[in-house]
Amino acid sequence: MNLEIWKHIEFAYPVFFWLLLFIPAMIWWQFSAGRKFQGSIQVSSLQGLKGLPVSWKVRFRPLLLVLRVLAFAALVTALARPQTSNTSENIDSEGIDIVLSIDISGSMLAEDLQPNRMEAAKKTAMDFVDSRISDRIGLVIFSGESFTQCPITMDHAVLKQQLMTIRSGMLQDGTAIGMGLATAVDRLHSSKVKSKIIVLLTDGVNNTGLVDPLTALEIAKAYKIKVYTVGVGTIGKAPSPATMPDGSVQMQMVDVQIDEPLMKKIASETGGRYFRATDNTSLKNIYGEIDKLERTKVEITSYKRYKEYFFPLAMIALACLLLEVVLRYTLFKRLP
């Protein structure tokens, strides 16, 4: 047997090793109690026998005990059932297809979140992607129009790269919530998975776009797509950069206006929830809450296969026992 295998050996019934405690008793019986059964003669003196050589049979007779002990030890080890195991896992993942629809209008540069709403939204979205290792995720951006920045994919590294590149000004300015929702639905409608969700994030009120938000809502309901809506912005006024006529940029306090009734309607009618993020911490907590609400079902079935190694040990025990019997009644045979 390959000695390397023994590094990975386990024993099914290690309790049998307690039988090895009988080995000292076997040795004691051989050298002590066993003498009672040996024949003897009485002589007047041993003086004449001192110079006689010791027979090789006498010298090697303890070999019989060694063979018996080896046979017993091998048999005990075989009874303990040495074996190696090979474990394999079958992972059955019932994934969720997700589209992140993110507002990139100019108002997302407001600094009520740090460093601004846009960067805070990107950071929390990337953390969310990292937590959804078995889901396909896509990215839609919108302002005055909408665009699929990344189709739904399992390649989260590519998705995060696309998230990092988004910035305000990539699309015509405005807030087309209906377009953002409709494009996200279009990414998901042909998906075959059971759970399809959209996370729609905006900081404003719908004021443009070819698709009305309520029309997009009906389409989402028709395809049984759940929508979680997130309104981003503090309560009251927020510092927002404004470009002056001379080209300089100044911070101005601007009213925060989010169409919360619309956001709540979209969420409730599709089975989702509406959240309001007023700072970085609350935005992070919102994505954490969505992550908990939409857990991916993963079933892991473990298979363990055993390979037994008791047979070689049983053969060793049998060989030692047979050799001992043969030697005892041939070379080391005693006269009656």
Side-chain angles (χ1 to χ4, degrees):
M1 199 185 313
N2 190 345
L3 293 179
E4 189 69 24
I5 293 174
W6 285 96
K7 295 180 181 179
H8 309 286
I9 285 289
E10 300 173 355
F11 293 93
Y13 305 114
V15 68
F16 279 105
F17 283 119
W18 287 102
L19 294 175
L20 295 177
L21 295 177
F22 284 104
I23 290 178
M26 293 170 59
I27 297 173
W28 173 83
W29 176 266
Q30 179 70 26
F31 289 102
S32 179
R35 291 178 181 176
K36 296 178 182 179
F37 301 97
Q38 294 180 358
S40 63
I41 58 173
Q42 292 183 348
V43 294
S44 58
S45 174
L46 296 175
Q47 190 68 32
L49 302 174
K50 285 185 177 179
L52 294 176
V54 179
S55 169
W56 66 270
K57 290 186 178 181
V58 175
R59 292 181 184 276
F60 286 97
R61 189 168 186 81
L63 178 62
L64 298 177
L65 176 62
V66 173
L67 289 172
R68 186 175 298 181
V69 169
L70 285 176
F72 183 75
L75 183 60
V76 168
T77 307
L79 288 173
R81 287 204 33 206
Q83 55 190 212
T84 56
S85 61
N86 180 25
T87 303
S88 60
E89 290 184 343
N90 181 31
I91 301 177
D92 182 18
S93 174
E94 186 180 299
I96 300 174
D97 281 355
I98 304 170
V99 170
L100 306 177
S101 185
I102 299 177
D103 188 346
I104 63 166
S105 58
S107 58
M108 286 290 287
L109 297 177
E111 296 180 4
D112 45 353
L113 276 73
Q114 300 301 316
N116 57 49
R117 296 172 185 169
M118 177 78 70
E119 294 304 315
K122 288 162 60 175
K123 172 65 170 60
T124 50
M126 283 192 281
D127 291 342
F128 179 75
V129 169
D130 286 336
S131 69
R132 312 294 301 193
I133 57 175
S134 60
D135 298 322
R136 297 197 308 166
I137 306 177
L139 175 63
V140 168
I141 56 175
F142 68 93
S143 51
E145 52 189 343
S146 61
F147 177 73
T148 301
Q149 183 76 357
C150 182
I152 52 175
T153 178
M154 283 294 296
D155 192 339
H156 292 178
V158 170
L159 174 64
K160 288 168 68 176
Q161 268 188 338
Q162 294 300 313
L163 260 168
M164 290 172 62
T165 61
I166 63 175
R167 65 188 186 279
S168 181
M170 292 177 67
L171 302 173
Q172 177 185 337
D173 203 17
T175 305
I177 295 173
M179 292 289 291
L181 179 56
T183 303
V185 170
D186 186 55
R187 294 293 93 194
L188 288 171
H189 79 276
S190 60
S191 172
K192 303 300 182 183
V193 301
K194 292 182 180 179
S195 298
K196 296 175 280 189
I197 72 169
I198 294 170
V199 181
L200 177 69
L201 183 146
T202 184
D203 68 343
V205 176
N206 187 79
N207 54 26
T208 188
L210 300 176
V211 180
D212 183 77
L214 296 181
T215 302
L217 167 59
E218 292 303 319
I219 299 172
K221 288 164 61 178
Y223 286 112
K224 298 180 181 179
I225 298 172
K226 188 184 298 185
V227 184
Y228 290 95
T229 54
V230 182
V232 182
T234 189
I235 306 298
K237 295 180 179 291
S240 183
T243 302
M244 298 292 103
D246 60 0
S248 62
V249 177
Q250 294 184 7
M251 299 302 294
Q252 294 183 347
M253 298 302 292
V254 178
D255 290 328
V256 178
Q257 295 180 336
I258 299 174
D259 193 344
E260 289 195 311
L262 174 63
M263 295 292 100
K264 290 177 180 178
K265 181 179 179 64
I266 292 172
S268 64
E269 292 195 14
T270 58
R273 282 178 57 184
Y274 169 70
F275 301 91
R276 178 69 182 267
T278 56
D279 54 33
N280 292 63
T281 301
S282 60
L283 182 59
K284 181 179 180 180
N285 291 340
I286 287 167
Y287 274 97
E289 184 69 18
I290 295 172
D291 183 45
K292 291 177 182 177
L293 290 170
E294 296 294 338
R295 298 311 301 163
T296 300
K297 181 182 178 183
V298 178
E299 291 184 359
I300 300 176
T301 306
S302 181
Y303 301 93
K304 207 165 192 177
R305 298 178 179 85
Y306 293 97
K307 187 174 182 179
E308 302 284 352
Y309 291 94
F310 71 88
F311 185 74
L313 292 165
M315 290 298 98
I316 290 172
L318 181 62
C320 289
L321 193 59
L322 288 174
L323 183 59
E324 191 234 344
V325 170
V326 170
L327 292 176
R328 182 178 296 278
Y329 291 100
T330 54
L331 290 176
F332 299 108
K333 184 176 181 180
R334 285 178 171 172
L335 295 175

